[in-house]
Amino acid sequence: MSLQTIGHRGLMGAEPENTLRSFRRADRMALDAVELDLHLSGDGELVVIHDASVDRTTDGSGAVRDLTLAELRRLDAGLGERIPLFTEVVDAVGAPIQAEIKDAAAARALAAVIEERGLGDRVTVISFHDEALRETRELLPEVAIGLVTGWSTDTAPERAAELGARLVSCEFARLSADVVARCRAAGIGVISWTVNTPAELAVARELGLDGVVTDEPEIVSAIRAGP
Ligand code: G3P
Ligand code: CA
């Protein structure tokens, strides 16, 4: 089976990350899923932005949780794009979504939206934070969850199994054949962030991954072209 393509923060090699423009680009290219990052605004709205502060990705400054949605909306997130609400991304694209909880406090708000909008079949809730995944699982036992790992990738199979996650998304540089084999033995799918070069794609294929999280349209094209 071909590698699944997951667009990182939309398709951030081609468009400003975590903007509707970026998610629409990934959707137009028919990626298998889009990945996005979630925080809570100061007034409790579920907003799509990677960092805990707005400084790097917008023309503003300050912590996301210290700004209201109205204040966040005034910022330019690149090419005139605004920081989107999670629900706006849901409405803007048809692709499955990997919704990454960055701020563990956002787990409850995300679960509420998934339930209200009937998104259980379309959204996989992913996070580095075990507590966010545990809370999601308690609130929505049927919704798929995925463990994201970086430095702790070596223990990903066992942690994922303990959490009831059927997917791990591991940092590319820390992934090994041993981790993949232990995931396979536990029936856990393995994807990796981020795979952005032909050399990285060759390794992903060699490791037999289920999918790659990529910034780059060229990697999507290379996957479709075959090995
Ligand atoms: O999909 C997981 C990956 O996005 C984790 O890294 O820092 O880009 O959110 P980061
Ligand atoms: Ca992410």
Side-chain angles (χ1 to χ4, degrees):
M1 202 177 85
S2 173
L3 279 170
Q4 296 272 299
T5 53
I6 301 108
H8 193 219
R9 310 181 200 172
L11 207 52
M12 67 175 281
E15 302 286 358
E17 68 179 65
N18 282 322
T19 61
L20 291 184
R21 203 180 151 110
S22 189
F23 298 115
R24 287 187 176 121
R25 171 76 80 114
D27 209 35
R28 278 201 305 278
M29 283 195 72
L31 271 74
D32 294 304
V34 293
E35 188 265 1
L36 54 79
D37 302 293
L38 294 170
H39 282 269
L40 284 181
S41 67
D43 47 353
E45 298 291 340
L46 199 53
V47 290
V48 180
I49 184 168
H50 181 275
D51 299 357
S53 101
V54 300
D55 297 34
R56 181 181 61 83
T57 56
T58 78
D59 58 352
S61 65
V64 176
R65 64 165 59 186
D66 290 341
L67 297 165
T68 63
L69 179 63
E71 289 168 331
L72 290 168
R73 295 295 235 179
R74 286 199 274 276
L75 306 178
D76 185 337
L79 301 178
E81 291 286 298
R82 304 289 134 181
I83 295 170
L85 285 164
F86 175 65
T87 49
E88 290 177 311
V89 181
V90 167
D91 291 339
V93 303
I97 296 173
Q98 292 192 2
E100 184 184 347
I101 299 172
K102 285 294 189 195
D103 175 357
R108 185 166 290 272
L110 176 59
V113 175
I114 291 172
E115 194 162 37
E116 278 162 29
R117 304 276 298 251
L119 298 170
D121 290 339
R122 189 174 158 208
V123 174
T124 298
V125 177
I126 65 172
S127 188
F128 283 97
H129 304 297
D130 294 30
E131 68 272 28
L133 295 177
R134 278 201 192 94
E135 188 171 4
T136 301
R137 200 151 173 76
E138 274 169 32
L139 293 167
L140 299 173
E142 305 304 325
V143 169
I145 58 173
L147 177 67
V148 185
T149 62
W151 61 268
S152 63
T153 288
D154 194 51
T155 58
E158 294 72 29
R159 269 175 73 209
E162 191 266 319
L163 289 162
R166 307 314 300 162
L167 176 75
V168 291
S169 181
C170 301
E171 185 175 7
F172 180 78
R174 299 178 192 272
L175 199 50
S176 64
D178 175 60
V179 169
V180 175
R182 283 187 282 129
C183 285
R184 291 274 169 267
I188 295 168
V190 191
I191 63 174
S192 184
W193 57 275
T194 44
V195 170
N196 285 333
T197 67
E200 289 168 346
L201 178 55
V203 173
R205 284 180 162 135
E206 180 69 26
L207 286 170
L209 301 185
D210 297 296
V212 298
V213 185
T214 188
D215 301 345
E216 301 298 340
E218 292 75 17
I219 291 298
V220 177
S221 303
I223 288 170
R224 289 178 182 161

